[in-house]
Amino acid sequence: LLTSDLAVIGGGAVGLAAAWKAREQGLEVDLIDPTPGKGASWAAAGMLAPVTEVHYGEEALLRLNLRSAERYPSFVAELESRTGKNVGYRKSGTVMVARDSDENEQLGELWRFQQRLGLPSERLSSRECRGLEPALAPSVRGGIFVESDHQVDNRSLVGALLEACRKAGVRFHTEGLREVNVRGNRLHGIVLENGDEVSCGSVLVAAGAASGSIPGLPPAMIPVRPVKGQLLHLHGPLGSDVASHTVRGLDVYAVPRGDGRLVVGATVEERGFDKHVTAGAVYTLLRDVYELLPGIIELELRETAVGLRPGTPDNAPLIGRAEIEGVMCATGHYRNGILLTPITAEAIAEIVTGGDEPEYIRAFSPLRFQSRSGALT
Ligand SMILES: Cc1cc2nc3c(=O)[nH]c(=O)nc-3n(C[C@H](O)[C@H](O)[C@H](O)COP(=O)(O)OP(=O)(O)OC[C@H]3O[C@@H](n4cnc5c(N)ncnc54)[C@H](O)[C@@H]3O)c2cc1C
């Protein structure tokens, strides 16, 4: 029987960062994942874009996104100094563009919404768009510039988090989870696939899109579903990037890594746990990005990627204590899990070390769906 303060189920960006932060606070931490770092966090584009990702009715989420964006520089500095790895954090900004006057109208509305919220964004004429990004198609009608949107190389981030966890002494279990052991309404521990038991004070469910189907936990307690996203990795010679900022249309984005790589994404599909790359998605992504940046036609198509976003009924994450005593969630981060990694890890570390749930995560309590799951008594 192993004993542990915290067992983290799932080693994506969120679970790894939470495990690392909790371990740095002196807790014994076990992380259970057969394939750590290879989920949505590997597939993602790495945009840190609270301002261009803002949606009507999601102002509470916007505040959390902005808070996490603020944490990014110090989070990255600490991670890089602990591991000696560069995670490709770049303050590259976003140019969002319209292909026609209807889209330009929509961007105008988005810009006015951003202004009402006091967000830093600039309305651009078509000429100003091309001034910032000379390779944009001549048909581009106008746009929005958000200098404060940044990016991180999510694969490097995950690699560094794995390393930070190992260095800090987080124990990894790649044999997988058989079940979470709950008695009454209380956590008793977990059982690994090989039959080993871990007696733990707390469990953190951070299993991304699979968080709704953790054996031993009531399925309705964590209402997370997979939302499939496909994307493409294009590549050109170093120094010949087709764009220097992230370029977004209404249906497609292109994220230049600054070294010839260009990540183009992404579809949003309700297909359960299906992870096939489809010809239709590759076609649509290439067609849409070509309409914005025709120069992509020369690039090498190096990789197709697919990931499952952890979606929730209100598109907001579940962070904090769940209905069962000893069980916490850090999941449901949907489109913004890379962005929300620092703030989520910080909040979880605070709770597991005995603090109150920070005020900034109260709106994201997993308990807000309690009536749906049929109270557990
Ligand atoms: C195409 C695409 C593009 C995206 N772009 C962005 C972006 O630009 N910016 C942004 O902020 N976000 C983006 N996202 C969203 C982001 O990727 C996710 O919100 C984030 O990665 C979720 O992290 P996670 O750690 O919760 O999940 P994951 O990274 O999916 O990790 C979950 C882990 O749990 C493990 N697991 C599952 N079941 C079990 C089990 N039973 N036992 C043990 N372990 C288990 C899995 O093996 C996996 O390693 C994108 C997502 C996709 C799909």
Side-chain angles (χ1 to χ4, degrees), residues 71-302:
R71 295 293 194 278
Y72 241 94
S74 58
F75 181 81
V76 163
E78 195 185 349
L79 185 58
E80 291 185 339
S81 82
R82 290 283 193 287
T83 60
K85 288 179 185 286
N86 182 301
V87 300
Y89 176 60
R90 298 179 63 226
K91 302 190 172 181
S92 39
T94 302
V95 182
M96 198 167 184
V97 296
R99 282 173 305 190
D100 55 35
S101 47
D102 279 357
E103 286 191 357
N104 206 23
E105 199 52 36
Q106 287 184 55
L107 285 193
E109 260 177 49
L110 174 64
W111 179 74
R112 283 188 290 278
F113 181 52
Q114 291 168 335
Q115 295 302 298
R116 281 201 299 281
L117 294 168
L119 298 171
S121 67
E122 221 178 290
R123 189 75 167 108
L124 302 178
S125 67
S126 66
R127 189 197 287 178
E128 287 166 333
C129 289
R130 272 188 302 280
L132 282 170
E133 283 301 346
L136 279 170
S139 53
V140 160
R141 294 296 291 268
I144 296 175
F145 179 47
V146 178
E147 198 174 6
S148 59
D149 276 357
H150 300 150
Q151 64 162 294
V152 67
D153 181 338
N154 45 291
R155 293 181 175 182
S156 302
L157 176 79
V158 164
L161 285 168
L162 276 165
E163 176 79 9
C165 283
R166 284 197 191 102
K167 281 197 159 156
V170 171
R171 291 181 297 238
F172 281 84
H173 302 273
T174 50
E175 56 273 56
L177 174 81
R178 186 178 294 171
E179 66 170 347
V180 178
N181 201 339
V182 176
R183 287 188 211 147
N185 194 31
R186 218 195 161 117
L187 171 72
H188 257 252
I190 61 171
V191 185
L192 302 178
E193 211 39 273
N194 62 7
D196 283 354
E197 288 181 38
V198 184
S199 160
C200 45
S202 305
V203 156
L204 178 68
V205 179
S211 298
S213 42
I214 300 298
L217 295 179
M221 189 176 88
I222 306 174
V224 168
R225 68 177 200 287
V227 182
K228 180 177 177 183
Q230 303 188 54
L231 48 70
L232 310 174
H233 287 239
L234 306 183
H235 205 278
L238 185 66
S240 66
D241 289 294
V242 293
S244 54
H245 305 85
T246 291
V247 172
R248 285 183 89 125
L250 290 176
D251 324 299
V252 72
Y253 54 73
V255 186
R257 294 283 193 233
D259 58 2
R261 290 180 292 161
L262 186 74
V263 180
V264 175
T267 63
V268 180
E269 307 166 68
E270 300 278 351
R271 293 280 157 88
F273 286 92
D274 170 63
K275 284 185 75 175
H276 289 108
V277 173
T278 62
V282 175
Y283 165 71
T284 312
L285 290 169
L286 285 176
R287 181 197 62 197
D288 290 350
V289 75
Y290 174 74
E291 286 183 12
L292 303 182
L293 292 167
I296 60 104
I297 213 80
E298 301 294 335
L299 303 181
E300 177 191 349
L301 171 56
R302 196 167 266 192

Side-chain angles (χ1 to χ4, degrees), residues 10 12-14 32-33 35 40-41 44-47 207-208 210 307 334-339:
V14 172
I32 296 92
D33 191 333
T35 53
S41 305
M47 290 177 293
Y334 192 36
R335 293 183 311 253
N336 292 310
I338 301 299
L339 170 60

Side-chain angles (χ1 to χ4, degrees), residues 60-73:
L61 182 57
L62 167 70
R63 282 192 292 278
L64 191 71
N65 285 340
L66 287 170
R67 191 182 271 265
S68 202
E70 252 173 50
R71 295 293 194 278
Y72 241 94

Side-chain angles (χ1 to χ4, degrees), residues 5-6 21-22 25-27 201-202 321 328 345-358 362:
D5 297 314
L6 174 68
K21 287 288 166 186
Q25 298 288 320
L27 301 187
S202 305
R321 295 192 182 94
M328 292 177 297
E346 184 180 309
I348 295 298
E350 185 137 352
I351 300 170
V352 287
T353 51
D356 286 338
E357 289 197 337
R362 296 243 165 96

